[in-house]
Amino acid sequence: MLSFLDLKTINGRYRAELIEAAARVIDSGWYIQGAELKAFEHEFAAYCGTRHCIGVANGLDALTLTLRAWKELGKLTEGDEVIVPANTYIASILAITENGLVPVLVEPSERTYNLCQNNIAEAITAKTRAILAVHLYGQLAPMQQIMALAEHHDLLVLEDSAQAHGAQLEGRKAGNWGNASGFSFYPGKNLGALGDAGAITTNDDLLAKTLRALGNYGSHEKYKNLYQGVNSRLDEIQAAMLRVKLRYLDTETQHRRNIATLYRDKIRNNNVSLPHLEDENSHVWHLFVLRSKHRAELQEYLTNSGVQTLIHYPIPPHRQHAYKELETLQLPLTQQIHDEVLSLPISPAMSIADAEEVCGIINTFQPGS
Ligand SMILES: *Cc1c(COP(=O)(O)O)cnc(C)c1O
């Protein structure tokens, strides 16, 4: 079976370096908020081109704490509306509602699955205060347009870059477009730790300072608490793992691009539509997502042919039990996307020969046979 994502092989290629990094942490006797985290924050900020990177416990916390910090700084108030794509992973929405803010779910662009200018503009009301721009599947949302709209309407922009480490447009990377950006380093992400981890990038000094306090019990100074904060920190051991993995990120992204190019060149089947690519560098192919009216059959065909696929995502947030209050929303495109998408295997550890085999299998798929 060709597995969807083989983390053991991915990390196994760096086994010696990862063990050396882990040993360094073990031997340091210092496990939280030490030299490894400081170095990783510095290196990841440099990678994104931002002034600050603040390590936190996971990607959801990165988003939640940023919105919380804007509340503490008086830039957001409970009840304010935040525009977010309806087809995102549920974490984006959880970050909004956890803060008592109101998610305004908008349909994405049919071509890119990301927010688009017109749909945002239509959703702006007197209560809109922010846009949560998700770079879904690894492709940058149209940030020039989003930033222009935000400026015009005086809105904050938070990027959800959990799937888009290194994606760039006009030489500017994910994480360096909005007022702040949340990253996840969940093991399966393009830059993955060996456990949970996340970070916020920003060029805003005051926001960075507030975030550092909020993630550390609300404390700027030991035993002095300015906010009712939380404990959300990126452990030394994970920072050390991430420092190793960051050095290979661009090489791994290039491999993902090679597989995506092959899929896009070689998959030819009228029952399948291929993902649209806006710009070569703007996509880091966290996921390679097809669409098909015959998804269930196609998935079964691939499984029977030895190829594991996944669905990102089977149920949209507004159809989840957790969001019963949103169940009356009519979002036909979002629903259709959730009914038709199918993610093919793509990873830095997957061989080109395996990708060619996947193409061959898809090209012989016939529904109803
Ligand atoms: C993974 C992910 C998150 C959450 O990250 P965690 O580290 O799992 O908390 C948020 N948004 C998107 C789009 C994601 O893919």
Side-chain angles (χ1 to χ4, degrees), residues 58-60 63 88-89 91-92 134 160 162-163 184 186 189 196-197 313:
N58 54 63
L60 174 58
L63 300 170
T88 186
Y89 180 56
S92 321
V134 184
D160 181 340
Q163 305 187 356
S184 166
Y186 177 81
K189 300 293 160 88
D196 273 316
Y313 299 93

Side-chain angles (χ1 to χ4, degrees), residues 102-152:
V102 178
V104 175
L105 275 57
V106 305
E107 296 264 47
S109 144
E110 166 124 48
R111 285 201 323 171
T112 64
Y113 309 123
N114 277 329
L115 281 176
C116 67
Q117 198 171 11
N118 293 346
N119 293 354
I120 298 172
E122 275 172 25
I124 293 175
T125 73
K127 295 180 97 177
T128 310
R129 290 287 173 273
I131 300 171
L132 208 173
V134 184
H135 308 310
L136 201 67
Y137 305 147
Q139 180 157 238
L140 271 188
M143 293 309 296
Q144 299 112 315
Q145 286 105 306
I146 290 174
M147 295 314 294
L149 262 178
E151 188 159 342
H152 186 76

Side-chain angles (χ1 to χ4, degrees), residues 152-168:
H152 186 76
H153 294 275
D154 196 19
L155 308 176
L156 295 162
V157 176
L158 173 57
E159 299 173 69
D160 181 340
S161 304
Q163 305 187 356
H165 320 72
Q168 56 180 304

